[in-house]
Amino acid sequence: MDSISQIRGELVDVWIPSIYQTKIRSQRTRSFSLDIPEKENQPSVLYTLLGFELKVGNRRFASPDLATARYLLIFARIGCREFAVPYDITALSPAADELETAWQHMLMTIESTMKRFSPQVRGRTKAGLIRQIRKEIASIGAGELMPLFDRSTRQRPQE
């Protein structure tokens, strides 16, 4: 068994695509797209006079609040260009927390599992895991541009 599938097997409960599918895509979402390279990036959240911005390389993306910026940062780090964002803004911060925890757990698992290997092998393993995450998130999909509002707003029954 190769190291990527071994680490993937250890991360069953905190695998980012499974969290994305079960906890994010299962609720009402809207699709979001970032024009970033499909590779591991080093994004950062900037605090500006006009609010928050996500900086990826030389590109900046405006964000309405810190929770959204933190959520976008996770997908920018992985290099996902299209993904779903929860429509309910109260779900953004917990989702960002859980995805960030899963990311850190993955990094710690790589370090503990691969400590006897060279830094180059660890780097290749990390890059392979990130490619796998990106591929699985792309296969799950980003959903609709806007969520469906198929609930009736009529309060009185029709006669």
Side-chain angles (χ1 to χ4, degrees):
M1 177 175 1
D2 66 335
S3 56
I4 292 175
S5 58
Q6 177 188 358
I7 293 171
R8 164 73 171 89
E10 290 180 28
L11 297 172
V12 172
D13 297 335
V14 289
W15 183 241
I16 292 174
S18 64
I19 294 169
Y20 177 74
Q21 183 172 21
T22 59
K23 298 196 176 167
I24 295 167
R25 289 293 289 136
S26 63
Q27 56 185 307
R28 182 177 285 171
T29 60
R30 60 186 169 90
S31 68
F32 196 87
S33 145
L34 291 175
D35 185 19
I36 59 171
E38 285 189 350
K39 64 179 183 84
E40 182 183 4
N41 296 299
Q42 300 297 323
S44 60
V45 174
L46 303 175
Y47 306 93
T48 66
L49 292 172
L50 300 175
F52 297 94
E53 288 183 348
L54 176 70
K55 183 178 180 196
V56 184
N58 293 331
R59 305 218 28 147
R60 290 182 175 203
F61 304 94
S63 176
D65 57 13
L66 181 60
T68 305
R70 287 180 50 235
Y71 183 85
L72 298 177
L73 180 119
I74 293 158
F75 290 96
R77 182 182 293 143
I78 297 167
C80 288
R81 298 182 79 158
E82 291 188 1
F83 51 92
V85 176
Y87 196 75
D88 179 12
I89 60 171
T90 61
L92 277 170
S93 190
D97 290 342
E98 190 165 2
L99 291 169
E100 182 65 35
T101 301
W103 173 262
Q104 294 301 327
H105 195 275
M106 182 187 78
L107 295 180
M108 290 188 316
T109 304
I110 291 170
E111 285 300 314
S112 67
T113 305
M114 308 288 293
K115 68 175 112 177
R116 60 187 166 95
F117 294 98
S118 70
Q120 291 82 10
V121 173
R122 282 189 294 232
R124 282 195 301 271
T125 303
K126 181 180 174 187
L129 281 167
I130 291 171
R131 268 193 309 278
Q132 182 70 29
I133 290 170
R134 202 171 34 248
K135 181 178 159 189
E136 288 186 30
I137 288 174
S139 70
I140 295 167
E144 299 293 323
L145 186 59
M146 289 299 293
L148 298 174
F149 293 100
D150 54 359
R151 295 183 183 162
S152 174
T153 58
R154 185 177 290 275
Q155 294 184 7
R156 294 188 186 127
Q158 289 182 353
E159 296 177 13

